[in-house]
Amino acid sequence: MSLQDRTQAVPEAAAPPQQDGRPGLALLVIAAAQLMLVLDNTIVAVALPSMQSALGLGESGLGWVVTAYALAFGGLLLAGGRAGDLFGRRRVFRTGLVLFTAASLLGGLARSGELLIAARAIQGAGAAIAAPTALSLLATSFPAGPARTKALGVYGAMGGLGSVVGLLLGGALTEYLSWRWVMFVNIPIALAVLFGTGVLVESERERGRVDVPGALTATLGFGSLVYAVNRAGDKGFGDGVTLIGLGAALALILAFVLVQRASRTPMIPRGVLADRSRVGANLIMFLVGAGMLATFYFLTLYMQLVKGYAPMVTGVAYLPFALGMGIAAGGLGPQLLARLPERDVTALGLLTGTAGMVWFSFVEPGQNPWAALLPAQLVAGLGLGTVFVAVTVVSVRGVAPQATGAASGLVNTAQQIGGALGLAALAAAATAVTHHELPDSVPHALTTGYSYGFLLGGGLYLLALVVALATLPGTRPRQQDAGHPPAAR
């Protein structure tokens, strides 16, 4: 019997999730893990100049410090989610945390750029194993209804808040301690989370085997695509290696689709993508991830290169964004979902986020940060935090319990791959505009490029809005559908 058949055979009165009476502690452990894993996408950004100076990294090597993590994280997420379904989510979650901790220690002790890049790749692999199983454990730790919606909202907001916290924390650690502490700081957090996993309840395992061909083609395909787009931002799309990378990515992703169609135990169970709203949620996460990571990139460069802010000041300047995200996760998002359809909540969040991006585009070299930078961050944080809450709920609702790992891996993959591709594409566009403006002053040319980048990011949010209106339900779901209904539609 295939997974799809077993999913459809689940009886109408599906068993509630297992609980141990400590859901609050379970949420704390899982949210802390998600925050730690996501913040590593950005925590090194402010420390890159210090890393370059200490290890003698060239420009291409410096880029790989960021890209290696994104490649491993985004490329292996689907495999990590499927492994949790097959071998036990708590066990796989712990394995990912141990791997992430060891890689953080290795990176902090690195004496060469090559070793640091290798450590970042291993970190990404550990994050890819832990992140989707964390979301699966959360979904099976809370009963369907408001409790699960709130918990999923908190988890979803960690995906956006973690990126902001990474920038803030990276600036403080780099300025007052050393760039090595952007790696070392993960160790006590990961150990605390690992200790806290005792409150998590292991869920039932799915019978089957790992889809090795699917895992290989997905990982190599996504990896080739991210590599090619990143290289194109530096060498152009006419570069021979870039074209080879794009061709390899196309071939591998097509092979992945064919393997999934032929496999009896696919990495993405067929029921996971049978629901239009779930497909839409993943597309929205992809587009929002693409715009958001590029936004942090442009803001960081604007503050350091144009305004001349120190790393610590740059980090603190992101507090309004973090505040907006916290408000959206802590109350606004769940409250809106309790009263409005997910389509309306997502649309409201995307429109608010777009308004923040347009506000960012008005930055000028000599502008007071209170006029645009800080208030625009608060607006964007409120909007994007609301989107993360709503989309995370939709992405795992309606999935059979034994397939939550695959669904969790898919939505995390969408965010990570979207962020890597969006950063490469929008950064290339901003650089082209800057070069066109270079007869003017350098600060003015840079700021003009960043402004165009912000507007392009807002365009991605508007495209996500179109997807939301076309795919998400316009009515509130029934109470049963708020969690895991009997069958994936």
Side-chain angles (χ1 to χ4, degrees), residues 301-402:
L301 293 181
Y302 170 76
M303 286 188 278
Q304 291 199 354
L305 299 183
V306 177
K307 303 297 291 184
Y309 294 164
M312 180 60 187
V313 176
T314 301
V316 172
Y318 279 103
L319 281 175
F321 207 114
L323 178 62
M325 283 281 189
I327 293 173
L332 180 62
Q335 288 180 13
L336 288 174
L337 285 174
R339 295 171 172 81
L340 299 172
E342 289 123 349
R343 184 183 66 186
D344 297 351
V345 176
T346 304
L348 179 61
L350 289 169
L351 287 172
T352 305
T354 302
M357 297 296 278
V358 174
W359 202 337
F360 283 137
S361 71
F362 292 123
V363 295
E364 294 291 344
Q367 192 172 44
N368 187 313
W370 289 103
L373 184 64
L374 301 184
Q377 284 195 56
L378 179 61
V379 171
L382 285 169
L384 296 182
T386 302
V387 173
F388 274 106
V389 169
V391 170
T392 302
V393 171
V394 176
S395 67
V396 295
R397 191 190 66 234
V399 180
Q402 66 267 32

Side-chain angles (χ1 to χ4, degrees), residues 180-204:
R180 297 184 182 277
W181 278 93
V182 303
M183 305 292 288
F184 288 146
V185 71
N186 294 313
I187 298 173
I189 301 174
L191 290 176
V193 171
L194 192 62
F195 177 78
T197 57
V199 305
L200 305 177
V201 178
E202 186 64 275
S203 56
E204 295 183 4

Side-chain angles (χ1 to χ4, degrees), residues 46 163-165 167-168 295-301 303 313-323 374 377:
V46 182
S163 298
V164 183
V165 173
L167 292 163
L168 195 158
T295 300
F296 294 147
Y297 176 78
F298 294 136
L299 286 176
T300 299
L301 293 181
M303 286 188 278
V313 176
T314 301
V316 172
Y318 279 103
L319 281 175
F321 207 114
L323 178 62
L374 301 184
Q377 284 195 56

Side-chain angles (χ1 to χ4, degrees), residues 416-471:
Q416 295 301 321
I417 298 298
L421 293 175
L423 174 58
L426 269 61
T431 299
V433 172
T434 296
H435 287 165
H436 183 267
E437 297 288 324
L438 270 182
D440 292 330
S441 68
V442 172
H444 173 78
L446 289 171
T447 304
T448 302
Y450 303 152
S451 295
Y452 274 89
F454 291 134
L455 291 176
L456 289 174
L460 292 176
Y461 296 163
L462 290 179
L463 183 57
L465 174 62
V466 174
V467 174
L469 295 177
T471 61

Side-chain angles (χ1 to χ4, degrees), residues 18-106:
Q18 300 178 8
Q19 301 178 67
D20 65 349
R22 293 174 289 179
L25 289 176
L27 177 60
L28 178 63
V29 169
I30 294 170
Q34 172 70 351
L35 183 69
M36 177 188 68
L37 298 175
V38 174
L39 70 82
D40 253 67
N41 269 325
T42 57
I43 195 172
V44 302
V46 182
L48 287 176
S50 299
M51 292 177 173
Q52 185 176 33
S53 175
L55 301 178
L57 283 163
E59 289 299 324
S60 60
L62 200 62
W64 274 105
V65 174
V66 178
T67 305
Y69 186 84
L71 282 174
F73 197 173
L76 292 171
L77 270 165
L78 290 175
R82 184 61 178 151
D85 292 337
L86 294 176
F87 305 122
R89 292 166 193 141
R90 186 173 66 175
R91 174 184 296 178
V92 173
F93 180 54
R94 287 170 169 171
T95 301
L97 288 173
V98 170
L99 186 62
F100 187 87
T101 305
S104 298
L105 178 61
L106 178 65

Side-chain angles (χ1 to χ4, degrees), residues 4 12 69-70 123 125 239 280 286 294 489:
Q4 184 181 25
E12 183 70 19
Y69 186 84
Q123 269 190 319
D239 174 68
F286 175 88
R489 295 182 295 276

